[in-house]
Amino acid sequence: MDSLDDDFNETETREFITDALKAKGWKLGFNMRYEYKITDGRVQIDEDDDSFRDEALFADYLLFAPNNQPLCVVEAKRANQIEGTGIQQAINYCNLLKAPFAASSNGKSFVFTDLIKGHEEEFSMEEFPTQGELWQKFVQDKQYTPEQIEIISKDYYHGTDGKEPRYYQRAVIDLVVEAYAKGVKRMMFVMATGTGKTYTAFQILYRLMQTTNGNNIRILYLADRNVLIDQTMDQDFKPFGNKMIKIENRTASTSYEIFMSLYQQLVQYNLPPDAPQPYEQFNRNYFDIIMIDECHRGSAKKNSEWRQILDYFSGAVQIGMTATPRDDADSDNSNISYFGEPLYTYSLKQGIEDGFLAPYRVTKVHINVDGGMDISEEDSAQSGGKLEVGQTIEKKDLALKLGIKKHYYLAAKRITDFLEKIGPMTKTIVFCDEEIDAAQMRSALIHYNETRQAENQNKYIMRITASDTEGKKHIGDFISKNVPTPTVVTTSQLLSTGVDTKAVGLIVLYRNINSLTEFKQIIGRGTRIVEEKKYYFDILDFRNATEHFFEPGFDGDPLPPIGPGNKNKPKRKKTPKPEPKPIITGDGHEIYIDSETKMVLDEHGKPMTVSYIEFSKEKLNTLYSSLDDFLTQWNQAERKQIIVDQMAKAGIKIDELMKHYPEKFQSRDIFDIIVNVAFNEPMLYRTERAKRIKEKNFLEKFQGDAKRVLEVLMQTYADQGILAFEENEALKNNELQDLGTPIFIKSLFGGKEQFKKVIRDIEEILYAA
């Protein structure tokens, strides 16, 4: 293209920007990516329980450093935008990507921001920096020493599968490598369950092993469960190949670089006082780096058996990773006190918003006796005097102490009914208090699923607990997304953490959970997304455990409950609806589900007690103090999209109002919807507003092609609304194609400014009081 016109849209200006970047040595697919995908877009669920995604986040251009670290985001804007229009958007993307430089261009010049220095300047299209110049500027801004540059300049691992780190994983990797280069000895990063901690750990270690003395770096990787070690070696760490060994039988050859070990392999209990511990087979300075998986689980705790490993190898750089950090300042169980504040935190809520984690829906089941039960004389007699009259039995002990096995059966029936609704082959974990509860629940579930149990080689329902050797053999099949059975698993603690249960679509809480850390780990079993198979999960709560959602330390909001017409947006809170299903137990107690509630939260994760229309009214009244205030802002807005964007930032989405209340708002103008919701004003249909133009004989002022253009635009308004009417794309309507380009069409009215005046005159008539 020879010259840039003010009427060029963003796509057209990108051709000039691309040419300018290429001229400075930036090459697509090499050190420059076009439309770089940052997020996947949050998962939403429609009225048929089919999933779809919100729009993903893309950077127009992402420029990379020689080590493939994000270096600069460049945002493109249409030609008629002022210089720097997109710079704040670019800075926002840079903050996510931890890129040090941001730029914006309208095809005429670049506005460039150095985020480290806070300096902003303007370049001509010929002056944009090269990769070498930007990299040199970066290392100078950071004041790296030559030794530090040698470490941070190493590249990521690039496998044949094309997998690369997500934006937050890149951020973690880069921050840890930088901290290592600066000599930090203890550090920690926090990533929500299911967001790829071990893959991130692999990339960190891979980069550190590429340094000049990389061949001499020795690494100890610690975990507390065999499945965590085996999973890591077989999956994310597999490229390390024969550089890696698993410590077994409390010993290992020293001819390896990476040692994978359980704490239990390095610490032996009940040794004589003078006997050496297994970790002492290694010199204190043997390991350069120790990577601690699930570092909230005890190794940082003072006086713990496992802590002595970290103390013994205190000279090594120690990197902790966890989904659930602990900051118990008044106790000895704080991994933050040990490792320091996290270098980076990627939360469950952010993972759900970005579309990398599955959102969830919550159903709370209330059983009549679960508030506790006072022991009667009959109860005491039946227990042989083990229970005292007047003693209160807590709900977690009801089934065992009173022998109310029907409690299990009632819960099992509800779980079975739930599975019938969401799909009986949905991988499910039922968390119970004790292993004996898991055994009882297994029996109760089989009672209601005998046919499926028989059809699936008696593996449709299984118990998998720490002491169940046979059950543990099937963990691999259960966590597989391709093996259908076991389908429903009962457990107590074994599957609560660490196990990569990607396919789980239902988590049943038949267990009292007093720890927020444990609760987050359990919920994390369902947060993985499996493309084409699983995009969200359900929680069925029998123990009110989901009250932990309301604690300050928890984040992430659930999906709407199952039912017709539900979307994943703020909705009316459902009031409890009793569903009495009485069962008379063998000991005479009546037990039944007396109610169920659906948990629905607003955009801040707080319980919503109003409808979406009431929610929107409240938000609109914070944006606009009065009807006159709104009218002023509406009329002054150059394009009405500005108003819609302003509302969206406040949590109000016009399209969602129309979806929730189609009969009320169908074919209404955005203007009418706003004034009706916020100020109870009556509404007109778009066709009624369009008639005003005809009644004013406005179009009669124009003739020929100019009149034809306005007639097509008015039909666009009546059919699609004001946003489509104002878009430049409206001038590319099929009915106007024979007239020429938008630039030529505007010339029919005397040019761009005169055309804009005609549009303003039309809108003045449309929205006259």
Side-chain angles (χ1 to χ4, degrees):
M1 304 177 75
D2 297 328
S3 61
L4 186 144
D5 191 281
D6 277 352
D7 284 308
F8 282 176
N9 59 30
E10 186 175 307
T11 301
E12 292 166 326
T13 62
R14 285 181 185 178
E15 295 189 35
F16 290 86
I17 298 168
T18 301
D19 288 345
L21 293 172
K22 284 181 177 179
K24 303 300 288 187
W26 297 99
K27 183 178 178 182
L28 283 170
F30 178 65
N31 57 11
M32 175 171 70
R33 296 275 289 277
Y34 179 61
E35 290 196 343
Y36 181 83
K37 191 176 183 182
I38 301 174
T39 70
D40 279 356
R42 176 174 173 148
V43 174
Q44 309 282 15
I45 309 298
D46 66 16
E47 60 270 19
D48 298 318
D49 282 350
D50 291 327
S51 59
F52 63 99
R53 288 185 181 272
D54 285 343
E55 187 175 349
L57 203 63
F58 289 88
D60 289 339
Y61 299 86
L62 180 58
L63 310 181
F64 291 89
N67 66 349
N68 277 303
Q69 182 176 334
L71 194 58
C72 181
V73 172
V74 181
E75 282 300 299
K77 293 300 173 186
R78 61 178 65 199
N80 62 4
Q81 297 289 314
I82 62 172
E83 286 78 3
T85 297
I87 193 65
Q88 293 187 130
Q89 183 180 357
I91 290 172
N92 178 50
Y93 294 162
C94 283
N95 288 333
L96 291 175
L97 293 158
K98 300 301 179 187
F101 306 117
S104 172
S105 177
N106 58 1
K108 301 174 183 177
S109 66
F110 288 98
V111 171
F112 179 88
T113 299
D114 181 333
L115 276 68
I116 300 172
K117 295 290 189 182
H119 175 67
E120 193 162 288
E121 59 186 312
E122 187 171 343
F123 295 130
S124 71
M125 296 302 286
E126 294 75 35
E127 292 176 324
F128 194 86
T130 65
Q131 183 191 56
E133 290 168 341
L134 277 188
W135 176 250
Q136 190 61 32
K137 184 175 182 62
F138 169 64
V139 297
Q140 288 175 351
D141 283 355
K142 299 287 283 188
Q143 298 183 336
Y144 289 135
T145 65
E147 293 77 16
Q148 291 169 346
I149 293 172
E150 170 64 25
I151 294 172
I152 68 166
S153 64
K154 300 308 176 185
D155 199 354
Y156 304 89
Y157 173 80
H158 301 280
T160 56
D161 59 359
K163 182 178 180 180
E164 62 179 8
R166 294 168 175 166
Y167 82 85
Y168 61 88
Q169 293 169 341
R170 286 185 186 273
V172 172
I173 297 160
D174 294 340
L175 288 168
V176 172
V177 170
E178 180 187 56
Y180 179 90
K182 290 181 175 180
V184 178
K185 301 293 284 186
R186 291 178 183 170
M187 62 189 91
M188 175 175 68
F189 61 89
V190 178
M191 289 168 57
T193 300
T195 57
K197 288 189 294 296
T198 52
Y199 173 72
T200 302
F202 162 74
Q203 288 281 5
I204 290 168
L205 297 178
Y206 177 83
R207 283 184 62 181
L208 294 180
M209 291 175 72
Q210 309 310 306
T211 55
T212 299
N213 64 340
N215 291 330
N216 298 319
I217 288 181
R218 287 187 290 244
I219 296 161
L220 174 63
Y221 184 96
L222 286 172
D224 67 340
R225 299 186 183 189
N226 256 317
V227 67
L228 298 180
I229 294 292
D230 294 341
Q231 237 174 214
T232 300
M233 295 180 71
D234 293 342
Q235 297 176 18
D236 291 319
F237 278 35
K238 190 173 183 178
F240 284 139
N242 58 13
K243 294 182 178 181
M244 173 176 57
I245 189 173
K246 180 180 179 181
I247 296 178
E248 297 181 286
N249 301 318
R250 296 192 168 91
T251 186
S253 167
T254 57
S255 60
Y256 291 84
E257 297 173 50
I258 303 171
F259 296 77
M260 313 292 290
S261 180
L262 297 177
Y263 294 103
Q264 298 91 323
Q265 288 291 327
L266 293 177
V267 175
Q268 189 169 350
Y269 305 115
N270 303 319
L271 284 176
D274 296 331
Q277 284 285 353
Y279 58 75
E280 292 182 275
Q281 66 186 286
F282 301 99
N283 182 284
R284 283 181 178 273
N285 298 318
Y286 187 82
F287 293 110
D288 301 282
I289 300 170
I290 301 179
M291 182 73 74
I292 303 101
D293 192 12
E294 306 289 356
C295 68
H296 65 282
R297 291 182 61 83
S299 58
K301 186 177 181 180
K302 292 179 182 177
N303 303 318
S304 73
E305 294 284 352
W306 295 349
R307 171 68 170 269
Q308 58 184 297
I309 301 173
L310 301 188
D311 289 342
Y312 181 78
F313 297 116
S314 60
V317 172
Q318 298 179 4
I319 306 170
M321 54 181 180
T322 181
T324 50
R326 287 177 172 171
D327 189 12
D328 307 324
D330 298 326
S331 77
D332 64 355
N333 192 23
S334 171
N335 50 17
I336 289 180
S337 295
Y338 184 82
F339 290 103
E341 290 292 330
L343 294 178
Y344 190 94
T345 297
Y346 189 70
S347 68
L348 171 66
K349 183 175 184 178
Q350 191 62 52
I352 292 174
E353 286 300 315
D354 289 343
F356 297 129
L357 292 181
Y360 50 87
R361 304 182 293 197
V362 180
T363 301
K364 297 171 73 173
V365 182
H366 308 271
I367 297 177
N368 66 317
V369 297
D370 278 357
M373 182 182 293
D374 292 333
I375 300 304
S376 65
E377 291 185 6
E378 181 183 359
D379 295 326
S380 180
Q382 288 184 356
S383 72
K386 293 179 181 178
L387 301 175
E388 298 178 5
V389 175
Q391 178 184 352
T392 299
I393 301 298
E394 295 182 12
K395 58 186 176 182
K396 72 182 182 69
D397 298 321
L398 279 168
L400 287 176
K401 288 191 175 180
L402 281 181
I404 304 181
K405 291 187 178 180
K406 288 295 177 71
H407 196 286
Y408 297 111
Y409 280 79
L410 184 62
K413 179 64 166 64
R414 185 65 189 94
I415 295 167
T416 300
D417 291 344
F418 200 91
L419 281 167
E420 287 294 332
K421 194 162 192 175
I422 67 172
M425 299 308 291
T426 300
K427 290 286 182 84
T428 300
I429 306 178
V430 184
F431 287 98
C432 303
D433 285 299
E434 307 289 345
E435 289 197 13
I436 189 172
D437 293 291
Q440 295 279 10
M441 181 58 75
R442 173 187 172 276
S443 297
L445 284 164
I446 289 175
H447 175 77
Y448 293 107
N449 294 273
E450 290 177 349
T451 301
R452 282 202 178 89
Q453 187 74 348
E455 290 173 346
N456 289 278
Q457 299 178 315
N458 290 292
K459 291 192 296 185
Y460 176 68
I461 298 164
M462 292 192 72
R463 183 180 77 146
I464 298 180
T465 59
S467 66
D468 194 323
T469 304
E470 186 60 32
K472 287 192 290 186
K473 291 179 183 177
H474 297 275
I475 288 179
D477 287 342
F478 177 68
I479 67 178
S480 172
K481 59 186 179 182
N482 299 315
V483 181
T485 59
T487 306
V488 181
V489 164
T490 66
T491 190
S492 56
Q493 294 187 357
L494 183 62
L495 300 178
S496 64
T497 185
V499 184
D500 191 10
T501 53
K502 290 185 175 70
V504 167
L506 173 61
I507 290 174
V508 180
L509 303 176
Y510 192 73
R511 168 179 173 178
N512 291 276
I513 305 172
N514 298 318
S515 161
L516 177 60
T517 296
E518 182 183 22
F519 178 71
K520 291 177 74 171
Q521 289 286 342
I522 286 174
I523 297 308
R525 300 311 100 206
T527 55
R528 275 80 162 177
I529 286 175
V530 181
E531 295 294 339
E532 308 300 328
K533 291 188 177 183
K534 174 205 154 189
Y535 290 93
Y536 63 97
F537 69 105
D538 284 283
I539 301 170
L540 193 58
D541 180 14
F542 289 90
R543 296 295 173 82
N544 201 33
T546 47
E547 285 299 301
H548 285 296
F549 282 130
F550 300 99
E551 295 185 29
F554 195 90
D555 53 15
D557 51 331
L559 285 167
I562 298 173
N566 289 319
K567 297 282 186 181
N568 185 26
K569 300 290 188 288
K571 292 189 182 266
R572 289 179 293 236
K573 184 180 179 181
K574 297 209 171 186
T575 55
K577 293 183 179 181
E579 291 187 30
K581 299 176 182 179
I583 296 177
I584 305 301
T585 67
D587 52 13
H589 289 289
E590 185 176 7
I591 178 171
Y592 54 87
I593 295 174
D594 59 14
S595 66
E596 289 191 4
T597 57
K598 312 293 185 181
M599 183 182 292
V600 185
L601 308 185
D602 66 16
E603 83 283 12
H604 300 300
K606 303 300 181 185
M608 177 173 283
T609 57
V610 297
S611 68
Y612 188 49
I613 200 167
E614 292 171 310
F615 166 83
S616 300
K617 177 182 178 67
E618 179 182 337
K619 292 294 182 182
L620 285 168
N621 286 332
T622 64
L623 285 176
Y624 311 112
S625 59
S626 64
L627 176 60
D628 287 341
D629 179 30
F630 167 71
L631 293 175
T632 299
Q633 293 193 46
W634 178 269
N635 292 326
Q636 288 179 350
E638 182 178 351
R639 297 172 67 247
K640 304 307 182 257
Q641 185 66 50
I642 296 171
I643 299 292
V644 173
D645 291 344
Q646 187 181 47
M647 291 169 58
K649 287 181 180 178
I652 316 159
K653 294 188 177 181
I654 286 290
D655 58 343
E656 290 305 313
L657 273 167
M658 291 189 281
K659 288 177 185 175
H660 287 314
Y661 309 98
E663 293 183 2
K664 183 178 178 73
F665 295 134
Q666 189 174 19
S667 302
R668 304 288 190 180
D669 192 284
I670 289 175
F671 174 90
D672 290 284
I673 294 173
I674 295 172
V675 297
N676 177 262
V677 171
F679 309 109
N680 298 318
E681 292 290 325
M683 294 184 290
L684 295 177
Y685 289 101
R686 291 194 298 267
T687 51
E688 293 176 305
R689 290 195 177 276
K691 283 181 183 178
R692 291 179 169 188
I693 304 300
K694 186 175 182 180
E695 291 167 355
K696 292 285 185 179
N697 294 318
F698 182 83
L699 300 187
E700 304 308 318
K701 300 178 183 178
F702 305 90
Q703 295 181 354
D705 288 339
K707 182 178 181 181
R708 177 185 164 199
V709 168
L710 295 181
E711 288 173 340
V712 170
L713 288 180
M714 290 312 304
Q715 190 58 50
T716 299
Y717 167 79
D719 293 340
Q720 301 177 48
I722 191 65
L723 300 186
F725 171 80
E726 289 185 334
E727 274 294 320
N728 208 43
E729 293 297 312
L731 298 179
K732 299 178 182 178
N733 187 292
N734 290 338
E735 296 182 43
L736 301 178
Q737 282 185 344
D738 61 311
L739 291 182
T741 65
I743 297 173
F744 176 78
I745 290 174
K746 291 174 184 178
S747 72
L748 298 174
F749 299 86
K752 180 172 68 175
E753 292 305 318
Q754 288 80 1
F755 178 74
K756 282 185 178 179
K757 183 179 184 307
V758 171
I759 296 301
R760 284 195 295 269
D761 290 343
I762 290 175
E763 291 183 355
E764 188 174 324
I765 297 172
L766 288 175
Y767 300 114

